[in-house]
């Protein structure tokens, strides 16, 4: 069949190399070996495997625009804990995030205008309101207060600095996210 675009060709070539050195990773457990999950932004400049030192089988990584604690992120974290044994969660948002600087109303208006569809007005694009730390603290608080999140789970809040590659601990988010038992 057709190899399609340049991107598809390159992905297939990279995957050939990856699979050639796959070793014994086929026998990894589906329970994360290091018992933690990371929630972070989809931003292409962030590579959680590199900045947090993760290998296959180590941890869950859940990504979306902004690294926001959405319903679906909560769903994934609950499964991560209950079915797959993680007991420590890291919410990592970052400086210079593309989800800053616009409101949900503005995003809705823009999508509605460009598409001509009223569907835009039913979407919550969840842009970041206030500072990154405000957003991080709000999202960690949401998780900590969620009735299905057990008090024994530790929730960390970090800000990744796009300019240095460093993780900055948010004291406020960490205090709120601390395990309650
Ligand atoms: Zn981002």
């Amino acid at each position: 069949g057709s190899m399609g675009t340049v991107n598809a060709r390159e992905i297939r070539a990279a995957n050939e190399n990856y699979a050639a050195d796959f070793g014994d990773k086929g026998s990894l457990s589906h329970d994360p070996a290091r018992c933690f999950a990371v929630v972070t932004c989809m931003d292409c400049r962030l590579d959680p495997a590199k900045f947090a030192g993760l290998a296959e089988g180590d941890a869950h990584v859940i990504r979306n625009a902004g690294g926001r604690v959405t319903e679906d992120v909560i769903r994934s974290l609950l499964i991560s804990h209950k079915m797959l044994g993680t007991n420590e969660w890291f919410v990592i948002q970052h400086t210079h995030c593309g989800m800053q600087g616009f409101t949900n109303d503005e995003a809705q208006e823009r999508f509605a205008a460009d598409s001509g569809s009223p569907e835009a007005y039913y979407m919550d694009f969840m842009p970041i309101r206030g500072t990154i730390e405000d957003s991080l603290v709000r999202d960690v608080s949401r998780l900590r207060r969620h009735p299905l999140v057990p008090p024994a789970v530790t929730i960390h809040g970090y800000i990744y600095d796009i300019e240095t590659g460093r993780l900055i601990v948010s004291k406020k988010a960490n205090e709120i996210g601390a395990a309650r038992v």
Side-chain angles (χ1 to χ4, degrees):
S2 164
M3 291 293 282
T5 65
V6 172
N7 284 335
R9 266 202 312 279
E10 288 176 356
I11 283 176
R12 287 170 172 224
N15 181 251
E16 280 302 318
N17 291 333
Y18 178 74
D21 291 325
F22 199 59
D24 59 3
K25 288 196 277 283
S27 60
L28 286 170
S29 167
H30 69 2
D31 294 347
R34 293 169 64 190
C35 299
F36 67 84
V38 173
V39 176
T40 197
C41 185
M42 68 184 189
D43 193 300
C44 63
R45 297 167 292 183
L46 271 62
D47 186 339
K50 288 181 184 162
F51 75 64
L54 310 178
E56 294 89 336
D58 276 355
H60 288 141
V61 178
I62 305 158
R63 303 185 70 169
N64 64 25
R68 302 299 314 281
V69 174
T70 61
E71 290 297 316
D72 196 63
V73 163
I74 295 172
R75 178 187 71 88
S76 297
L77 287 171
L78 291 172
I79 296 289
S80 173
H81 170 71
K82 192 68 88 178
M83 275 71 160
L84 301 164
T86 66
N87 50 31
E88 214 175 350
W89 300 341
F90 295 80
V91 181
I92 304 174
Q93 297 179 0
H94 68 99
T95 61
H96 305 294
C97 185
M99 294 301 285
Q100 291 171 288
F102 65 94
T103 66
N104 193 46
D105 278 3
E106 286 165 357
Q108 287 179 337
E109 294 296 350
R110 191 164 152 195
F111 277 98
D114 290 353
S115 67
S117 169
E119 191 60 35
Y121 297 113
Y122 295 90
M123 301 278 300
D124 183 352
F125 293 94
M126 298 191 73
I128 286 170
R129 209 182 277 246
T131 67
I132 292 293
E133 194 173 29
D134 293 339
S135 161
L136 181 67
V137 165
R138 194 178 300 123
D139 280 2
V140 167
S141 303
R142 181 182 191 198
L143 266 183
R144 182 76 290 160
R145 289 194 307 260
H146 195 281
L148 301 186
V149 171
V153 172
T154 297
I155 307 164
H156 303 270
Y158 289 176
I159 296 168
Y160 175 88
D161 183 340
I162 282 288
E163 277 155 9
T164 63
R166 283 212 160 74
L167 288 173
I168 303 153
V169 176
S170 164
K171 213 173 151 230
K172 202 171 166 193
N174 270 11
E175 277 167 13
I176 290 164
R180 291 294 191 261
V181 289

